[in-house]
Amino acid sequence: MTREVRPHEVPGYFEARAAGLLPEVRQVPPALTVRPTSRAAFAPVPWLAISIIFLPLALDRLLAQVIPEWMAVPVMLATALALATGVAVQLRRVGRQSLAEFRRGYTTLPFTIGTPWFSLKPGGWLTGFRIGWDHRTHWHLDGRTGVPVAAPTVAGDPPGLYPSPHRPGAFELWTGSEWTRHYDTPDAL
């Protein structure tokens, strides 16, 4: 297995650092400035995911009394599809909030594996569920109070957007341990 190229080894890294476009890890805890936090954005996701299963079943019972039987399945499928779309939209929001937090040197939702984006890495969208994260390089703040939960414990390039080793001129998401093939534009502070 080959070692991943680290962000500071990619051409354009030092120029992006000088321009203030890269994640920054301070010696003191940063202020909780991203609202809603990534943790708050993630809060409805489990409930939406559970409702994909149970709401259509509950509707089936209710609809059996009101509409013809042949209409129940399309209504249940439409409901499940709407809820699944809600999960995908909310996960994208989690991703946006996470990127904004990473840019400021902290997280309120430290992933260990997985991702809120679906189209990542070669090999298909399912590979996104196996993406590893290393948050030891930035602050972990409580999403409600901003109180530090954990300080950075290792030096290195924290998760965030950096000049891409795969697409020159683009910024790619680095998880602290691997590249994701998720390309985005760094926001201005």
Side-chain angles (χ1 to χ4, degrees):
M1 185 171 172
T2 61
R3 179 185 75 77
E4 288 273 3
V5 172
R6 302 289 188 201
H8 63 273
E9 299 170 336
V10 176
Y13 173 90
F14 294 103
E15 293 83 355
R17 168 78 57 217
L21 298 174
L22 302 184
E24 181 182 338
V25 178
R26 297 174 179 98
Q27 296 298 318
V28 296
L32 188 65
T33 57
V34 177
R35 298 290 182 168
T37 65
S38 59
R39 179 165 296 286
F42 183 76
V45 171
W47 297 108
L48 285 168
I50 289 169
S51 67
I52 291 172
I53 298 167
F54 293 108
L55 187 58
L57 293 174
L59 276 177
D60 181 44
R61 301 274 185 217
L62 180 66
L63 294 176
Q65 302 168 11
V66 189
I67 64 174
E69 187 177 325
W70 65 269
M71 288 180 67
V73 170
V75 169
M76 289 174 20
L77 289 174
T79 302
L81 181 60
L83 290 167
T85 301
V87 167
V89 167
Q90 195 63 28
L91 284 175
R92 286 185 59 109
R93 186 174 187 209
V94 170
R96 280 193 314 272
Q97 299 310 99
S98 292
L99 286 176
E101 289 178 357
F102 297 163
R103 177 94 160 76
R104 288 153 181 86
Y106 71 90
T107 185
T108 59
L109 183 66
F111 290 85
T112 54
I113 194 166
T115 180
W117 295 279
F118 291 106
S119 57
L120 300 176
K121 296 199 58 127
W125 66 275
L126 284 175
T127 60
F129 297 114
R130 297 191 310 257
I131 290 175
W133 291 80
D134 185 352
H135 291 282
R136 297 175 301 155
T137 51
H138 61 199
W139 291 89
H140 175 194
L141 302 181
D142 180 275
R144 286 181 252 244
T145 63
V147 172
V149 175
T153 58
V154 298
D157 299 309
L161 294 170
Y162 292 90
S164 172
H166 303 109
R167 203 184 274 179
F171 280 76
E172 183 175 345
L173 178 60
W174 167 257
T175 67
S177 61
E178 63 183 295
W179 295 100
T180 62
R181 306 284 167 97
H182 174 80
Y183 302 97
D184 210 330
T185 305
D187 64 333
L189 286 177

